[in-house]
């Protein structure tokens, strides 16, 4: 593979973003993902900001324009009709004015908005746009703790694997056994028309995704009931760490904008969440693990979800242990951090979140390790990220086979082109 210069890489990143830009929102990729996805969009905004700050704010505002009255921000907004994706709005049937899905996704918005604000060259515009988003993001954070942490433990559960963004992670396998498949309405998958079925979740997993969707739909998408009624309730450390980091970032931003109440509420959420994260730590694995809220047990599955907490202000000793785990993984895989430990017999180098490397989570891990002072590991991750991003933009792969580094051709994903590693304007911010 010919290697690209930094300028060429930036040009290609911009090309991919423009290709997926729908005017007021960005689709993750043509074909496979033809609508607006929640966390993809927030991360994409960071890339857009490098050449159009106003457009970057619009990206997040469009998403929040479809926030539910209870505060939830849905994982998909179906702005336009397209028969290229399943399950579409006719399956979700959430009854929203513009159709949306009925579940949520990792809460990266608070982090993204703070970063947009910090890097903005137009500070007046940034204060105005961030100020209007603040109460909406705060309402979403409140929604999480009210609806997904019923015992007020400081950690929220996901009730559908799609909420994690790591759709078919090995983390969900055991809890997924409890999800029945009887009564699932007949369906035709569209994803495998766009991507190699060997890289996608299995049919059995799809049956379970669909069973949960139908179950929640049968409960009228009433968020006050869904958590307790779900046979799948998993506390994902990565998901919680993103929410904790976003809460801390929102608190800082609110302080800067003179919104003391929002600042205090988010500071308190972050503090409680960080303390509660200790329950998920595993010395044996050198990382955090998922907690199955129904069995009350930690899930013995070493995925990137347990390394991602480096993104939040976890204790120094935990960050150092995670740094050592990343180093250990680097000895086994050509690139780090793979979505799952290659030593696990269930590791599957090409199947979506069961082995391949994903740029966006590595970006967050590196950002966190940098803040924790794990600088030599951060340097290694930074170099690896550059090489991955160049490969990613060269062809069409979005994730990489972690053992050999071969691209898994899937899509030109806008979220990976967030340009964070190549900003010519502010090299000190690059990771
Ligand atoms: C999919 O359909 O593949 C998505 O990840 C669900 O959001």
């Amino acid at each position: 593979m010919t290697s690209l210069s930094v300028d060429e890489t930036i040009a290609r990143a911009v090309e991919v973003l423009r290709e997926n830009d729908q005017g007021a929102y960005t689709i993750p990729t043509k074909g496979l993902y033809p609508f607006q996805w929640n966390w993809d969009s927030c991360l994409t905004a960071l890339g857009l900001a490098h050449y159009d700050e106003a457009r970057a704010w619009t990206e997040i505002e469009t998403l929040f324009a479809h926030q539910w009255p209870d505060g939830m921000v849905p994982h998909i907004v179906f702005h336009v009709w397209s028969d290229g994706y399943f399950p579409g709005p006719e399956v979700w049937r959430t009854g929203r004015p513009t159709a949306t899905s009925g579940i949520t996704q990792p809460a990266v918005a608070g982090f993204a908005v703070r970063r947009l604000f910090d890097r903005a060259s137009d500070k007046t515009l940034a204060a105005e746009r961030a100020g209007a988003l603040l109460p909406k993001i705060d309402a979403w954070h409140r929604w999480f703790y009210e609806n997904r942490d019923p015992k007020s433990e400081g950690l929220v559960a996901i009730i559908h694997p799609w909420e994690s963004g790591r759709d078919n992670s090995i983390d969900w396998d055991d809890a997924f056994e409890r999800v029945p498949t009887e009564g699932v309405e007949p369906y035709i998958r569209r994803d495998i028309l766009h991507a190699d079925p060997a890289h996608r979740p299995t049919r059995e997993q799809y049956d379970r995704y669909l069973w949960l969707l139908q179950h929640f739909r049968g409960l009228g998408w009433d968020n006050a009931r869904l958590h307790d009624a779900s046979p799948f309730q998993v506390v994902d450390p990565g998901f919680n760490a993103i929410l904790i980091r976003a809460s801390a970032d929102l608190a800082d931003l609110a302080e800067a904008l003179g919104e003391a109440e929002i600042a205090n509420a988010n500071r308190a959420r972050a503090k409680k969440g960080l303390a509660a994260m200790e329950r998920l730590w595993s010395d044996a694995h050198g990382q955090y693990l998922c907690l199955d809220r129904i069995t009350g047990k930690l899930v013995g599955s070493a995925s990137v979800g347990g390394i991602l907490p480096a993104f939040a202000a976890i204790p120094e000793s935990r960050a150092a242990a995670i740094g050592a785990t990343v180093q250990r993984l680097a000895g086994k895989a050509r690139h780090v951090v793979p979505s799952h430990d290659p030593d696990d017999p269930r590791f599957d180098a090409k199947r979506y979140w069961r082995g391949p490397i994903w740029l966006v989570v590595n970006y967050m891990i590196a950002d966190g390790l940098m803040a924790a002072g794990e600088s030599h590991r951060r340097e290694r991750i930074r170099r690896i990220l550059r090489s991955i991003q160049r490969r990613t933009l060269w062809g069409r792969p979005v994730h990489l086979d972690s053992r050999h580094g071969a691209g898994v051709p899937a899509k030109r994903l806008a979220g990976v082109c967030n340009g964070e590693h190549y900003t010519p304007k502010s090299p000190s911010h690059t990771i």
Side-chain angles (χ1 to χ4, degrees):
M1 191 201 74
T2 317
S3 133
L4 296 180
S5 70
V6 168
D7 283 349
E8 284 167 331
T9 307
I10 293 171
R12 279 171 190 269
V14 172
E15 189 190 300
V16 174
L17 289 174
R18 290 198 197 283
E19 188 176 296
N20 290 295
D21 191 343
Q22 307 299 298
Y25 67 95
T26 309
I27 56 171
T29 185
K30 287 206 171 114
L32 189 59
Y33 294 121
F35 310 107
Q36 184 177 26
W37 260 260
N38 184 327
W39 76 323
D40 299 72
S41 221
C42 294
L43 293 166
T44 294
L46 299 177
L48 296 172
H50 289 289
Y51 59 92
D52 189 343
E53 281 180 22
R55 174 67 187 81
W57 289 109
T58 303
E59 184 75 24
I60 300 182
E61 288 160 358
T62 303
L63 177 69
F64 276 82
H66 301 279
Q67 183 168 30
W68 285 22
D70 67 0
M72 186 185 80
V73 184
H75 99 297
I76 310 175
V77 183
F78 300 103
H79 293 281
V80 291
W81 184 85
S82 165
D83 65 355
Y85 177 79
F86 175 86
E90 68 293 346
V91 183
W92 290 93
R93 301 205 293 271
T94 53
R96 300 291 304 144
T98 296
T100 73
S101 68
I103 56 173
T104 193
Q105 251 188 347
V108 284
F111 155 73
V113 163
R114 188 208 164 158
R115 192 145 281 193
L116 286 184
F117 181 82
D118 287 351
R119 294 186 180 173
S121 51
D122 188 340
K123 291 290 180 202
T124 313
L125 177 81
E128 186 193 308
R129 314 267 302 248
L133 281 164
L134 264 187
K136 299 179 183 179
I137 302 175
D138 175 51
W140 189 25
H141 290 180
R142 187 182 330 111
W143 173 88
F144 268 116
Y145 292 103
E146 280 174 4
N147 291 277
R148 299 304 182 77
D149 180 19
K151 294 197 182 134
S152 196
E153 292 165 336
L155 296 172
V156 301
I158 54 163
I159 58 171
H160 193 299
W162 285 343
E163 292 197 310
S164 69
R166 299 187 294 116
D167 299 5
N168 65 340
S169 168
I170 291 163
D171 291 353
W172 327 131
D173 288 2
D174 292 346
F176 231 17
E177 288 295 313
R178 283 194 301 270
V179 177
T181 53
E182 292 77 34
V184 171
E185 292 156 7
Y187 63 92
I188 299 172
R189 285 173 66 173
R190 300 282 200 280
D191 58 315
I192 44 182
L193 301 177
H194 306 291
D196 183 341
H199 302 162
R200 294 287 302 168
T202 62
R203 170 82 197 191
E204 201 194 344
Q205 284 161 341
Y206 255 79
D207 283 352
R208 294 191 155 107
Y209 297 147
L210 266 293
W211 189 91
L212 286 172
L213 188 164
Q214 286 178 207
H215 182 54
F216 301 148
R217 193 183 65 201
L219 294 167
W221 297 112
D222 176 359
N223 274 309
R225 296 166 71 198
L226 302 192
H227 173 279
D228 290 358
S230 178
F232 182 92
Q233 298 168 17
V234 178
V235 177
D236 170 8
F239 191 92
N240 276 276
I242 290 173
L243 180 56
I244 290 167
R245 168 70 185 265
S247 299
D249 281 348
L250 202 71
D252 290 347
L253 186 59
E255 239 156 55
L257 295 174
E259 295 286 351
E261 210 177 302
I262 294 182
N264 293 340
N266 282 279
R267 193 81 64 212
R269 287 173 192 137
K271 191 168 168 218
K272 187 168 172 183
L274 278 173
M277 283 287 289
E278 277 300 293
R279 173 152 186 224
L280 309 181
W281 179 259
S282 163
D283 271 332
H285 294 82
Q287 63 168 88
Y288 295 87
L289 296 176
C290 284
L291 171 79
D292 186 327
R293 196 170 259 170
I294 294 195
T295 63
K297 295 201 176 113
L298 291 181
V299 182
S301 166
S303 79
V304 73
I307 291 175
L308 188 50
F311 188 47
I314 52 172
E316 240 172 69
S317 60
R318 300 297 186 224
I322 284 182
T325 299
V326 170
Q327 203 72 356
R328 177 181 62 78
L329 290 168
K332 297 182 198 176
R334 171 137 170 235
H335 298 295
V336 289
V337 179
S339 47
H340 204 84
D341 187 333
D343 276 352
D344 189 324
R346 298 167 294 181
F347 172 89
D348 187 340
K350 289 190 165 33
R351 204 178 278 279
Y352 218 39
W353 286 91
R354 298 176 80 88
I357 298 171
W358 288 80
L359 192 75
V360 287
V361 288
N362 281 291
Y363 161 63
M364 293 190 245
I365 292 166
D367 182 85
L369 289 180
M370 175 171 72
E374 285 290 303
S375 55
H376 71 280
R377 293 187 177 101
R378 187 235 334 177
E379 175 55 27
R380 184 183 161 86
I381 293 180
R382 189 181 61 76
R383 274 188 279 114
I384 291 163
L385 284 176
R386 282 180 184 237
S387 96
I388 293 173
Q389 192 169 48
R390 285 183 184 152
R391 281 162 182 271
T392 306
L393 296 167
W394 179 248
R396 297 198 158 236
V398 61
H399 46 261
L400 295 175
D401 174 330
S402 40
R403 281 181 315 197
H404 315 297
V408 179
K411 48 192 172 176
R412 278 157 80 84
L413 192 93
V416 303
C417 300
N418 62 25
E420 289 297 280
H421 323 299
Y422 298 106
T423 163
K425 272 192 278 178
S426 50
S428 60
H429 285 133
T430 59
I431 56 172

PDB file of all heavy atoms in Angstrom, residues 213-223 225-230:
ATOM      1  N   LEU A 213     -36.294  -5.356  20.045  1.00  0.00           N
ATOM      2  CA  LEU A 213     -36.979  -4.206  19.431  1.00  0.00           C
ATOM      3  C   LEU A 213     -38.507  -4.391  19.524  1.00  0.00           C
ATOM      4  O   LEU A 213     -39.229  -3.489  19.958  1.00  0.00           O
ATOM      5  CB  LEU A 213     -36.521  -4.078  17.977  1.00  0.00           C
ATOM      6  CG  LEU A 213     -36.926  -2.858  17.165  1.00  0.00           C
ATOM      7  CD1 LEU A 213     -36.053  -2.738  15.916  1.00  0.00           C
ATOM      8  CD2 LEU A 213     -38.383  -2.865  16.758  1.00  0.00           C
ATOM      9  N   GLN A 214     -38.969  -5.574  19.126  1.00  0.00           N
ATOM     10  CA  GLN A 214     -40.423  -5.822  19.163  1.00  0.00           C
ATOM     11  C   GLN A 214     -40.957  -5.746  20.593  1.00  0.00           C
ATOM     12  O   GLN A 214     -42.058  -5.255  20.844  1.00  0.00           O
ATOM     13  CB  GLN A 214     -40.732  -7.205  18.579  1.00  0.00           C
ATOM     14  CG  GLN A 214     -40.593  -7.265  17.081  1.00  0.00           C
ATOM     15  CD  GLN A 214     -40.856  -8.675  16.533  1.00  0.00           C
ATOM     16  OE1 GLN A 214     -40.335  -9.029  15.496  1.00  0.00           O
ATOM     17  NE2 GLN A 214     -41.635  -9.497  17.225  1.00  0.00           N
ATOM     18  N   HIS A 215     -40.175  -6.279  21.535  1.00  0.00           N
ATOM     19  CA  HIS A 215     -40.569  -6.272  22.945  1.00  0.00           C
ATOM     20  C   HIS A 215     -40.748  -4.830  23.448  1.00  0.00           C
ATOM     21  O   HIS A 215     -41.768  -4.491  24.067  1.00  0.00           O
ATOM     22  CB  HIS A 215     -39.463  -6.988  23.726  1.00  0.00           C
ATOM     23  CG  HIS A 215     -39.698  -7.119  25.186  1.00  0.00           C
ATOM     24  ND1 HIS A 215     -40.846  -7.679  25.712  1.00  0.00           N
ATOM     25  CD2 HIS A 215     -38.921  -6.761  26.265  1.00  0.00           C
ATOM     26  CE1 HIS A 215     -40.765  -7.664  27.037  1.00  0.00           C
ATOM     27  NE2 HIS A 215     -39.602  -7.112  27.386  1.00  0.00           N
ATOM     28  N   PHE A 216     -39.780  -3.976  23.145  1.00  0.00           N
ATOM     29  CA  PHE A 216     -39.852  -2.576  23.594  1.00  0.00           C
ATOM     30  C   PHE A 216     -41.002  -1.848  22.868  1.00  0.00           C
ATOM     31  O   PHE A 216     -41.701  -1.038  23.465  1.00  0.00           O
ATOM     32  CB  PHE A 216     -38.523  -1.842  23.340  1.00  0.00           C
ATOM     33  CG  PHE A 216     -37.324  -2.463  24.022  1.00  0.00           C
ATOM     34  CD1 PHE A 216     -36.062  -2.390  23.446  1.00  0.00           C
ATOM     35  CD2 PHE A 216     -37.458  -3.120  25.241  1.00  0.00           C
ATOM     36  CE1 PHE A 216     -34.948  -2.956  24.068  1.00  0.00           C
ATOM     37  CE2 PHE A 216     -36.355  -3.697  25.872  1.00  0.00           C
ATOM     38  CZ  PHE A 216     -35.101  -3.617  25.284  1.00  0.00           C
ATOM     39  N   ARG A 217     -41.169  -2.175  21.610  1.00  0.00           N
ATOM     40  CA  ARG A 217     -42.276  -1.559  20.854  1.00  0.00           C
ATOM     41  C   ARG A 217     -43.608  -1.948  21.489  1.00  0.00           C
ATOM     42  O   ARG A 217     -44.511  -1.121  21.625  1.00  0.00           O
ATOM     43  CB  ARG A 217     -42.195  -2.039  19.396  1.00  0.00           C
ATOM     44  CG  ARG A 217     -43.051  -1.273  18.428  1.00  0.00           C
ATOM     45  CD  ARG A 217     -42.952  -1.873  17.028  1.00  0.00           C
ATOM     46  NE  ARG A 217     -43.492  -3.227  16.981  1.00  0.00           N
ATOM     47  CZ  ARG A 217     -43.187  -4.129  16.037  1.00  0.00           C
ATOM     48  NH1 ARG A 217     -42.362  -3.834  15.057  1.00  0.00           N
ATOM     49  NH2 ARG A 217     -43.728  -5.323  16.063  1.00  0.00           N
ATOM     50  N   GLY A 218     -43.689  -3.206  21.917  1.00  0.00           N
ATOM     51  CA  GLY A 218     -44.917  -3.680  22.571  1.00  0.00           C
ATOM     52  C   GLY A 218     -45.181  -2.941  23.887  1.00  0.00           C
ATOM     53  O   GLY A 218     -46.318  -2.923  24.375  1.00  0.00           O
ATOM     54  N   LEU A 219     -44.161  -2.351  24.465  1.00  0.00           N
ATOM     55  CA  LEU A 219     -44.324  -1.584  25.710  1.00  0.00           C
ATOM     56  C   LEU A 219     -44.485  -0.098  25.407  1.00  0.00           C
ATOM     57  O   LEU A 219     -44.329   0.763  26.274  1.00  0.00           O
ATOM     58  CB  LEU A 219     -43.124  -1.810  26.629  1.00  0.00           C
ATOM     59  CG  LEU A 219     -42.989  -3.250  27.164  1.00  0.00           C
ATOM     60  CD1 LEU A 219     -41.624  -3.479  27.798  1.00  0.00           C
ATOM     61  CD2 LEU A 219     -44.097  -3.565  28.158  1.00  0.00           C
ATOM     62  N   GLY A 220     -44.761   0.198  24.155  1.00  0.00           N
ATOM     63  CA  GLY A 220     -45.052   1.580  23.738  1.00  0.00           C
ATOM     64  C   GLY A 220     -43.852   2.505  23.839  1.00  0.00           C
ATOM     65  O   GLY A 220     -44.021   3.716  23.970  1.00  0.00           O
ATOM     66  N   TRP A 221     -42.633   1.948  23.804  1.00  0.00           N
ATOM     67  CA  TRP A 221     -41.420   2.753  23.907  1.00  0.00           C
ATOM     68  C   TRP A 221     -41.450   3.646  25.143  1.00  0.00           C
ATOM     69  O   TRP A 221     -40.947   4.764  25.128  1.00  0.00           O
ATOM     70  CB  TRP A 221     -41.193   3.594  22.633  1.00  0.00           C
ATOM     71  CG  TRP A 221     -40.987   2.746  21.425  1.00  0.00           C
ATOM     72  CD1 TRP A 221     -41.824   2.620  20.358  1.00  0.00           C
ATOM     73  CD2 TRP A 221     -39.862   1.891  21.154  1.00  0.00           C
ATOM     74  NE1 TRP A 221     -41.300   1.723  19.431  1.00  0.00           N
ATOM     75  CE2 TRP A 221     -40.088   1.265  19.899  1.00  0.00           C
ATOM     76  CE3 TRP A 221     -38.681   1.572  21.833  1.00  0.00           C
ATOM     77  CZ2 TRP A 221     -39.200   0.367  19.323  1.00  0.00           C
ATOM     78  CZ3 TRP A 221     -37.785   0.674  21.260  1.00  0.00           C
ATOM     79  CH2 TRP A 221     -38.057   0.081  20.014  1.00  0.00           C
ATOM     80  N   ASP A 222     -42.045   3.109  26.214  1.00  0.00           N
ATOM     81  CA  ASP A 222     -42.134   3.880  27.457  1.00  0.00           C
ATOM     82  C   ASP A 222     -40.854   3.640  28.257  1.00  0.00           C
ATOM     83  O   ASP A 222     -40.693   2.607  28.918  1.00  0.00           O
ATOM     84  CB  ASP A 222     -43.374   3.418  28.239  1.00  0.00           C
ATOM     85  CG  ASP A 222     -43.490   4.097  29.583  1.00  0.00           C
ATOM     86  OD1 ASP A 222     -42.601   4.918  29.925  1.00  0.00           O
ATOM     87  OD2 ASP A 222     -44.468   3.809  30.309  1.00  0.00           O
ATOM     88  N   ASN A 223     -39.961   4.593  28.210  1.00  0.00           N
ATOM     89  CA  ASN A 223     -38.650   4.412  28.837  1.00  0.00           C
ATOM     90  C   ASN A 223     -38.717   4.129  30.334  1.00  0.00           C
ATOM     91  O   ASN A 223     -37.792   3.526  30.884  1.00  0.00           O
ATOM     92  CB  ASN A 223     -37.756   5.621  28.552  1.00  0.00           C
ATOM     93  CG  ASN A 223     -37.030   5.451  27.222  1.00  0.00           C
ATOM     94  OD1 ASN A 223     -36.404   4.422  26.982  1.00  0.00           O
ATOM     95  ND2 ASN A 223     -37.142   6.433  26.342  1.00  0.00           N
ATOM     96  N   ARG A 225     -40.445   2.004  31.615  1.00  0.00           N
ATOM     97  CA  ARG A 225     -40.686   0.567  31.798  1.00  0.00           C
ATOM     98  C   ARG A 225     -39.619  -0.321  31.157  1.00  0.00           C
ATOM     99  O   ARG A 225     -39.479  -1.491  31.523  1.00  0.00           O
ATOM    100  CB  ARG A 225     -42.047   0.202  31.168  1.00  0.00           C
ATOM    101  CG  ARG A 225     -43.215   0.877  31.856  1.00  0.00           C
ATOM    102  CD  ARG A 225     -44.476   0.778  31.016  1.00  0.00           C
ATOM    103  NE  ARG A 225     -45.007  -0.574  30.974  1.00  0.00           N
ATOM    104  CZ  ARG A 225     -45.881  -1.017  30.060  1.00  0.00           C
ATOM    105  NH1 ARG A 225     -46.296  -0.199  29.105  1.00  0.00           N
ATOM    106  NH2 ARG A 225     -46.317  -2.248  30.079  1.00  0.00           N
ATOM    107  N   LEU A 226     -38.912   0.210  30.176  1.00  0.00           N
ATOM    108  CA  LEU A 226     -38.069  -0.666  29.351  1.00  0.00           C
ATOM    109  C   LEU A 226     -36.922  -1.336  30.104  1.00  0.00           C
ATOM    110  O   LEU A 226     -36.659  -2.531  29.914  1.00  0.00           O
ATOM    111  CB  LEU A 226     -37.508   0.100  28.142  1.00  0.00           C
ATOM    112  CG  LEU A 226     -38.533   0.734  27.194  1.00  0.00           C
ATOM    113  CD1 LEU A 226     -37.849   1.195  25.905  1.00  0.00           C
ATOM    114  CD2 LEU A 226     -39.678  -0.220  26.852  1.00  0.00           C
ATOM    115  N   HIS A 227     -36.231  -0.604  30.939  1.00  0.00           N
ATOM    116  CA  HIS A 227     -35.070  -1.179  31.624  1.00  0.00           C
ATOM    117  C   HIS A 227     -35.464  -2.437  32.393  1.00  0.00           C
ATOM    118  O   HIS A 227     -34.905  -3.522  32.189  1.00  0.00           O
ATOM    119  CB  HIS A 227     -34.439  -0.147  32.558  1.00  0.00           C
ATOM    120  CG  HIS A 227     -33.330  -0.692  33.428  1.00  0.00           C
ATOM    121  ND1 HIS A 227     -33.562  -1.383  34.598  1.00  0.00           N
ATOM    122  CD2 HIS A 227     -31.983  -0.679  33.283  1.00  0.00           C
ATOM    123  CE1 HIS A 227     -32.415  -1.752  35.146  1.00  0.00           C
ATOM    124  NE2 HIS A 227     -31.438  -1.338  34.359  1.00  0.00           N
ATOM    125  N   ASP A 228     -36.445  -2.317  33.273  1.00  0.00           N
ATOM    126  CA  ASP A 228     -36.813  -3.457  34.120  1.00  0.00           C
ATOM    127  C   ASP A 228     -37.414  -4.593  33.306  1.00  0.00           C
ATOM    128  O   ASP A 228     -37.325  -5.756  33.698  1.00  0.00           O
ATOM    129  CB  ASP A 228     -37.801  -3.015  35.206  1.00  0.00           C
ATOM    130  CG  ASP A 228     -37.123  -2.122  36.235  1.00  0.00           C
ATOM    131  OD1 ASP A 228     -35.899  -1.893  36.103  1.00  0.00           O
ATOM    132  OD2 ASP A 228     -37.819  -1.637  37.151  1.00  0.00           O
ATOM    133  N   ALA A 229     -38.024  -4.254  32.180  1.00  0.00           N
ATOM    134  CA  ALA A 229     -38.691  -5.288  31.373  1.00  0.00           C
ATOM    135  C   ALA A 229     -37.741  -5.991  30.411  1.00  0.00           C
ATOM    136  O   ALA A 229     -38.123  -6.924  29.721  1.00  0.00           O
ATOM    137  CB  ALA A 229     -39.834  -4.640  30.585  1.00  0.00           C
ATOM    138  N   SER A 230     -36.504  -5.529  30.363  1.00  0.00           N
ATOM    139  CA  SER A 230     -35.590  -6.109  29.381  1.00  0.00           C
ATOM    140  C   SER A 230     -34.826  -7.301  29.955  1.00  0.00           C
ATOM    141  O   SER A 230     -34.242  -7.199  31.042  1.00  0.00           O
ATOM    142  CB  SER A 230     -34.567  -5.054  28.915  1.00  0.00           C
ATOM    143  OG  SER A 230     -33.669  -5.654  28.010  1.00  0.00           O
TER     144      SER A 230
END
